[in-house]
Amino acid sequence: MSLSLKDLVLFVFDERENYNNPTTKDRIGSALFKKVILIESREEFDREYTNLEQNEKFLLICHVFHAAKSESEVALRGVLKFNNTGIYEDYGVIPVFVSAGDAGSVMKALYDLEKSPKPVYIYSTMRDEVKAGRIQVYSKSELSKEHHGSASGSVLSENGGNALVFEYAIITALFSNEFEQIEPYFIWTPKLDINTRTKRYRTGHFVGQPDKRIVVGIPSDTGMVDTAIIATEMLNMFKPKILMMSGVCGGKEGLNFGDLVVAKKVFTFQKGKVSDIAGKDGKKVKLYNKDQVEIDYDHLYDESGKQIAISVEKFEGEQDSVLSIDSLLQDHLEPEIPEIEKLINKEIQAFGKEIKIVFEPIACSTMVINKKGYFEDHIMPVHRKVAAVEMESYGVARSTEIANDGSTKWLIFKAVMDNMTVKDDSAKKYAARISAMFLKYILERGALSPAL
């Protein structure tokens, strides 16, 4: 819901010297609001709050004071001063942090201080977010109802503050192709991106639907380990309702380039125990050539004379490494798949063969598979209905079981770019596009909303 600034009283938690600076007045845009009031202490807030009408809308902003300009000053002193007023604890009023500096670096400093992600706005962005209804404003009557339990709090306060709240978090294994293909479907807000010392998290919202806010993380390298680390950090920082992964995979026989696999289950088939193959006497089994001469594993060579190594071993897999999609999420998503398949095929009919969408298990590997028969011999025995293999999904799903108190659901969907024996990198961009289109349609149709 949009809001006119002329209907809003703005409380500014600031220091008088800074507040009276003409530049600060210009940044605030004082003439745009119904009234602007300087707040320097808890006593001043108590007095001005008392003077408000019951249904009068107000907003409290807090000047961060990011940098310490002298040894006598403390960085982020505006935040520290506000935290000591008890305004949030006693009134439930959450400040909006503002700064004249770079919002990303200030947010990083604020996260280092409080270990909770909160947005920091420049003044003009703050006004735009208020007008768009994406920043919570208050009235005495609403606060009274919430205090007595007759009204629920705003989504903006679920994390204990005007925190960065995202219903959806997205991971792509790579920037090239996989992120690039989802990029056009979102309006990005780089000023609100979160930058840690090692990672940039992009923020934005779905085109045409600003309420569907997303945060995106891209691991520095492919594979389960990097993906699980990024997923865990995103879950703990942003506490999304659903963590999604879009991308590409290798498909089983019968699936064509571009066919999409939505993960009903994910598992890693390489979890287990490796041991030597032993005879009845417990000794390692020996191998012989056709002339019954024992093979010396330490002296084997290929046809070019290059020494090679062969290992004969037994692998016992663990079947408890299979993770299933949330049943409620499945109930709402699965009926949508046939219609989304039609929509994608209608969109691609001018440039590609029709694709199909299957809702089947995905296997997760620690290595690239480029060997004929490997999928059938090593992966299908773990789950006979497995449709695809890739290198990240298990890390995503497993992280949701542990991080954020296990309250985030996962959704993984990847399109086929090869069949594990025929590698065709030209199909990667096409497959990534199909996966991105699936993401677009599930958000556009609200397919996930009932399961949040």
Side-chain angles (χ1 to χ4, degrees), residues 72-127:
S72 62
E73 292 182 346
V74 178
L76 300 173
R77 67 181 185 275
V79 178
L80 297 172
K81 285 181 179 179
F82 178 84
N83 289 346
N84 288 327
T85 64
I87 292 173
Y88 168 68
E89 290 79 4
D90 294 339
Y91 287 91
V93 175
I94 304 157
V96 174
F97 294 116
V98 293
S99 174
D102 176 68
S105 56
V106 181
M107 279 191 284
K108 172 61 174 60
L110 186 56
Y111 179 77
D112 288 343
L113 175 71
E114 299 197 330
K115 303 305 178 188
S116 176
K118 294 182 174 66
V120 174
Y121 301 95
I122 60 174
Y123 290 93
S124 59
T125 303
M126 175 273 294
R127 293 195 300 268

Side-chain angles (χ1 to χ4, degrees), residues 83-188:
N83 289 346
N84 288 327
T85 64
I87 292 173
Y88 168 68
E89 290 79 4
D90 294 339
Y91 287 91
V93 175
I94 304 157
V96 174
F97 294 116
V98 293
S99 174
D102 176 68
S105 56
V106 181
M107 279 191 284
K108 172 61 174 60
L110 186 56
Y111 179 77
D112 288 343
L113 175 71
E114 299 197 330
K115 303 305 178 188
S116 176
K118 294 182 174 66
V120 174
Y121 301 95
I122 60 174
Y123 290 93
S124 59
T125 303
M126 175 273 294
R127 293 195 300 268
D128 291 341
E129 293 290 294
V130 171
K131 287 188 288 187
R134 292 191 289 268
I135 286 180
Q136 184 178 10
V137 299
Y138 301 93
S139 71
K140 291 167 69 172
S141 61
E142 289 169 349
L143 287 169
S144 177
K145 289 178 182 178
E146 291 178 4
H147 180 72
H148 291 95
S150 58
S152 59
S154 163
V155 67
L156 289 173
S157 62
E158 283 184 0
N159 289 340
N162 250 324
L164 289 172
V165 176
F166 302 95
E167 285 185 329
Y168 306 103
I170 300 171
I171 287 184
T172 63
L174 297 169
F175 179 89
S176 177
N177 292 318
E178 290 171 297
F179 173 75
E180 289 174 338
Q181 291 301 315
I182 72 169
E183 196 171 13
Y185 298 129
F186 297 91
I187 302 298
W188 302 98

Side-chain angles (χ1 to χ4, degrees), residues 18-51:
N18 182 73
Y19 176 79
N20 287 332
N21 187 307
T23 302
T24 302
K25 296 287 182 108
D26 290 341
R27 286 170 175 161
I28 292 173
S30 301
L32 301 174
F33 293 89
K34 180 179 180 179
K35 189 187 298 183
V36 178
I37 301 170
L38 171 64
I39 302 293
E40 291 188 278
S41 66
R42 168 62 183 270
E43 291 72 27
E44 289 182 354
F45 181 84
D46 292 342
R47 182 179 66 250
E48 297 298 339
Y49 181 85
T50 301
N51 292 334

Side-chain angles (χ1 to χ4, degrees), residues 219-411:
S220 301
D221 203 354
T222 57
M224 268 186 281
V225 174
D226 282 58
T227 303
I229 291 170
I230 297 302
T232 300
E233 185 168 63
M234 293 177 74
L235 292 168
N236 286 331
M237 287 177 64
F238 307 115
K239 306 186 185 305
K241 301 294 179 62
I242 296 179
L243 174 60
M244 297 185 281
M245 187 168 202
S246 172
V248 299
C249 63
K252 70 176 182 179
E253 185 178 351
L255 291 181
N256 299 314
F257 292 163
D259 287 346
L260 186 88
V261 183
V262 182
K264 191 172 187 177
K265 301 175 185 291
V266 295
F267 63 90
T268 173
F269 59 92
Q270 292 158 317
K271 187 178 179 182
K273 180 175 71 174
V274 175
S275 57
D276 288 326
I277 299 177
K280 293 181 179 180
D281 58 0
K283 294 182 178 180
K284 183 178 178 179
V285 170
K286 296 179 180 180
L287 294 183
Y288 301 85
N289 64 17
K290 65 179 181 179
D291 299 321
Q292 293 300 303
V293 176
E294 184 179 347
I295 295 173
D296 181 358
Y297 291 116
D298 296 326
H299 297 87
L300 293 175
Y301 304 87
D302 62 18
E303 59 185 8
S304 67
K306 184 178 180 180
Q307 189 170 10
I308 59 175
I310 291 179
S311 176
V312 180
E313 58 194 26
K314 176 174 64 175
F315 175 73
E316 298 173 276
E318 292 183 18
Q319 299 304 310
D320 64 347
S321 60
V322 180
L323 306 176
S324 298
I325 191 172
D326 177 80
S327 58
L328 181 60
L329 188 59
Q330 177 179 339
D331 287 345
H332 288 286
L333 178 62
E334 196 166 13
E336 295 280 343
I337 288 178
E339 184 60 29
I340 293 176
E341 181 179 287
K342 291 178 184 178
L343 291 169
I344 292 176
N345 282 321
K346 183 178 180 180
E347 193 170 337
I348 67 171
Q349 60 185 353
F351 68 88
K353 181 181 177 181
E354 281 197 351
I355 62 97
K356 61 184 176 183
I357 301 176
V358 298
F359 194 50
E360 298 290 358
I362 290 179
C364 191
S365 175
T366 59
M367 57 191 177
V368 175
I369 296 173
N370 190 18
K371 182 178 181 181
K372 187 175 182 179
Y374 191 95
F375 186 83
E376 293 76 12
D377 294 341
H378 296 274
I379 302 177
M380 292 191 72
V382 179
H383 203 295
R384 62 183 180 83
K385 290 188 176 182
V386 61
V389 62
E390 44 74 86
M391 299 177 65
E392 295 86 21
S393 60
Y394 188 80
V396 171
R398 182 66 175 138
S399 68
T400 65
E401 289 194 332
I402 300 171
N404 188 24
D405 296 324
S407 60
T408 299
K409 300 171 184 178
W410 58 264
L411 177 62

